[in-house]
Amino acid sequence: MNIYLVGGAVRDQLLNKPYKDKDWVVVGATPDELIAQGFKQVGADFPVFLHPQSQEEYALARTERKSGHGYQGFSVDFGKTVTLEEDLIRRDLTINAMAQDENGNIIDPFNGQADIKSKTLRHVSNAFSEDPLRVLRVARFAARFHHLGFSVATETIALMKQISESGELTHLTPERVWVETQRALHEQSPWIYFEILKQCNGLKDTFTELDALFGIPQPEKHHPEIDTGMHSLLSLQQASFISGDGDVRFAALMHDLGKAKTDQAKWPQHIAHEKLGLKPITQMCDRLRVPNQYRELTLKTCEFHTNIHRAFELKASTILKVFKQCDAIRKPERFEKLLQVCQADAQGRTGLENAPYPQANYIQRMLNACNSVNNQDIVATGVKGPELGQAIEQARIDAIQKQKDKENINE
């Protein structure tokens, strides 16, 4: 029996990056032999064992053969005769297909170290194309390592295109698509994930509604980048500089889905795209089982982002209406995230990346003024019934107007 450290821990050591998780491969053993040594079996599809002390995962070396559709359509062999190289060749990228023995020696049969030096994400073998999930995984690794200068090898992009065009991505479960996407949204350069999916034609079967935005024009005066799909990626890029929250980043990317539904005869204008975007966002979130936190922020941003952009033009009563419809008084944290998305939208335009966005602080001050109204003070006046609600609303409008007047004086 021989045990090797494999995968991300080996890769990240060579990249001088910190790592927490360690994965181990056991060569020349059976499940019974590991169990006899105190390991606990936890794998359902193939034997994975938890070490009795460290609780780290140990997997028997295995081979896989395609036997169906999707990422689960494999028959697995984990017999004692499976070699380390046979185990490593089934992995996705060369930089993930290295092992380290107990003496610290690197076993690198597929030149992963050379690809680390050249900053290349390259598939290990043609078996790569048997697992459609790898299209998303490679895109996610591209998002993770983009800031280090890594790019996807041309021949790997070509294989990813073959997988995408074969229709195999449609066999991925919504849960797997979302898990990879949510992880990608938290990488350092999440926009690269979607760029790579677009490049290999993988966006149409995963994020159909987003794919539909590419090629749709916007007014050059307001959007120098013109293409709506490009604007969506630029908005995600700006959101990733503003916030590390996945829901903020997702909402920035998806807030303009309605522009694929506007009247083509009126392009590059997109009248009422705020309302038109609600249905495709809902459809996408339903299909991929996107968490409510992501769904709700994206829907609110879609519907109200142009109101926030025009904040200086809004009457006090309209500002309060926006607050109520966004549930800003009850959910101030989510509203603050909505303002971050609006800033990312405004700055997600070519040449305007560093443009100030005073609307966010302005509308936040209006919300603070609105929240300064003490409902109990109004109750103490003896107002009751429907008149109480009207009195509270008027007090909030007056507080917002007072703040507006104050800011106008200061100008």
Side-chain angles (χ1 to χ4, degrees), residues 319-385:
I319 290 175
L320 178 59
K321 184 178 180 181
V322 170
F323 289 160
K324 291 171 67 177
Q325 291 177 312
C326 291
D327 210 4
I329 296 169
R330 288 197 320 120
K331 298 182 178 180
E333 297 85 3
R334 189 181 70 185
F335 189 71
E336 183 178 350
K337 288 186 175 185
L338 189 153
L339 297 180
Q340 291 177 331
V341 180
C342 290
Q343 179 182 338
D345 175 29
Q347 295 175 337
R349 299 178 289 169
T350 301
L352 297 168
E353 295 86 356
N354 297 312
Y357 190 70
Q359 293 95 321
N361 286 333
Y362 174 83
I363 208 74
Q364 186 64 59
R365 292 193 295 273
M366 297 302 127
L367 180 58
N368 294 341
C370 175
N371 287 334
S372 71
V373 173
N374 189 327
N375 294 351
Q376 294 305 313
D377 289 345
I378 299 173
V379 171
T381 66
V383 180
K384 296 180 180 179

Side-chain angles (χ1 to χ4, degrees), residues 117-133:
K117 288 180 180 177
S118 67
K119 301 184 185 303
T120 303
L121 301 176
R122 192 190 318 275
H123 64 282
V124 176
S125 71
N126 286 334
F128 175 95
S129 60
E130 296 179 351
D131 184 356
L133 186 65

